[in-house]
Amino acid sequence: MDVKKAVIPAAGLGTRFLPVTKSMPKEMLPIIDKPVIHYVVEEAIASGIDDIIFITGRNKRSIEDYFDESPELEMHLSQRNKNELLEMVQEISSLADIHYIRQKEPKGLGDAILTAEKHIGDEPFAVLLGDDIITNNKPCTKQLIEKFQYLRQSVLAVEEVPSEKVSSYGIISGNLIDDSLYSLEEIIEKPAISEAPSNIGTIGRYVFTPDIFDCIKKIDIGHGGEVQLTDAIRLLNKTQQVYAYRFTGNRYDTGDKLGYVKAIIDFAVKNEDMEEKIKEHIKCKPFLQSRD
Ligand code: G1P
């Protein structure tokens, strides 16, 4: 069973990144010269997805503009024979079939995903949260899709998180089937460390059977007064075994200031033109000794 559609929720207010997110979506924060959301879309496409639904909200117009054609800019570049830049700009608007749904109020991740029900229909689909960039030769979403094709049930990407961060994630417990796959037992949204069933957290990648929509409709308001995807997954697990997969790759939580800066440093070091100069800069910096 192919997974061809993906939902990318991008309606959050970005409060962890205020004040810049007052007038700019957090998904548009640049990692060098590409916004975070571009990397997420690239991961979806490299995983075989060809139909992407963004769930946006107020203040997110720049995401639509970014993936749209830009006739004035294209004409400007073409008149000046800046063909490489022109190609780069044109490529972005033809990456995939992209659709937009606006979530009227930010009522939680579960509610955001439910708005895509009509577009998804009766097919399995992937969810990629707009904050996380995951690097690996085989994209994380592709790893989940491969597991889904074999298991035919919903699969969540998970990794160990530091204990002080357990209360920021959906935390699971499960039975290990092999060295990287769990059958899910329990999942709790942002538990206190004393109530956490483990320190294995769901990160922002999932593949679901369409039955998740009915589960979202049935759950009550959960943690933080929001409709939580985690609660819908717990309900789904009662009728269909859900799986959790320890993906391979490096994850950057770019919705967090530290994760964002780490992503910029690592991407700069991996960039051929910048590598040597950045390494030199970091090595020589007096700021490493002093906070002034
Ligand atoms: C969301 C989910 C949470 C998950 C996390 C991964 O939380 O609700 O279960 O572990 O993404 O990043 P958020 O980070 O949007 O608060």
Side-chain angles (χ1 to χ4, degrees), residues 24-184:
M24 177 185 179
K26 60 177 174 170
E27 295 80 8
M28 289 302 292
L29 288 169
I31 305 293
I32 322 276
D33 53 4
K34 282 202 285 194
V36 168
I37 198 76
H38 189 142
Y39 293 95
V40 178
V41 167
E42 279 180 342
E43 179 189 326
I45 293 165
S47 305
I49 302 286
D50 61 13
D51 184 316
I52 292 174
I53 306 116
F54 276 112
I55 316 300
T56 65
R58 269 179 278 287
N59 223 351
K60 302 282 180 165
R61 264 283 305 278
S62 56
I63 299 180
E64 294 179 35
D65 290 342
Y66 183 78
F67 290 105
D68 198 1
E69 289 178 4
S70 36
E72 296 86 0
L73 174 62
E74 288 173 34
M75 200 197 300
H76 177 92
L77 295 172
S78 138
Q79 282 166 351
R80 283 157 185 79
N81 288 326
K82 301 202 167 173
N83 295 330
E84 254 181 55
L85 287 177
L86 179 64
E87 256 173 52
M88 180 211 285
V89 165
Q90 286 173 334
E91 208 186 296
I92 296 171
S93 54
S94 55
L95 278 173
D97 206 356
I98 299 186
H99 309 268
Y100 298 89
I101 298 176
R102 259 171 88 131
Q103 188 189 20
K104 293 190 185 75
E105 279 174 65
K107 287 197 284 188
L109 184 56
D111 180 71
I113 288 166
L114 186 57
T115 62
E117 182 182 16
K118 271 201 187 141
H119 188 98
I120 298 288
D122 199 20
E123 287 178 40
F125 64 102
V127 172
L128 293 86
L129 300 192
D131 279 350
D132 283 326
I133 296 181
I134 301 171
T135 56
N136 195 52
N137 284 344
K138 186 187 280 186
C140 179
T141 299
K142 193 173 173 67
Q143 297 174 36
L144 293 185
I145 292 175
E146 285 180 2
K147 289 288 160 204
F148 173 82
Q149 280 164 339
Y150 159 71
L151 298 160
R152 307 258 156 172
Q153 301 294 355
S154 302
V155 192
L156 330 169
V158 293
E159 73 176 8
E160 258 177 47
V161 298
S163 350
E164 70 276 12
K165 289 272 183 187
V166 154
S167 58
S168 306
Y169 289 88
I171 298 293
I172 69 139
S173 67
N175 295 312
L176 259 183
I177 296 176
D178 60 31
D179 54 4
S180 54
L181 189 69
Y182 299 86
S183 57
L184 190 74

Side-chain angles (χ1 to χ4, degrees), residues 16 109 129 132 168-170 189-190 202-204 206 228 230 251:
R16 283 192 290 170
L109 184 56
L129 300 192
D132 283 326
S168 306
Y169 289 88
E189 180 68 5
K190 306 195 170 114
T202 55
I203 55 106
Y206 314 79
Q228 294 294 350
T230 294
R251 179 175 77 100

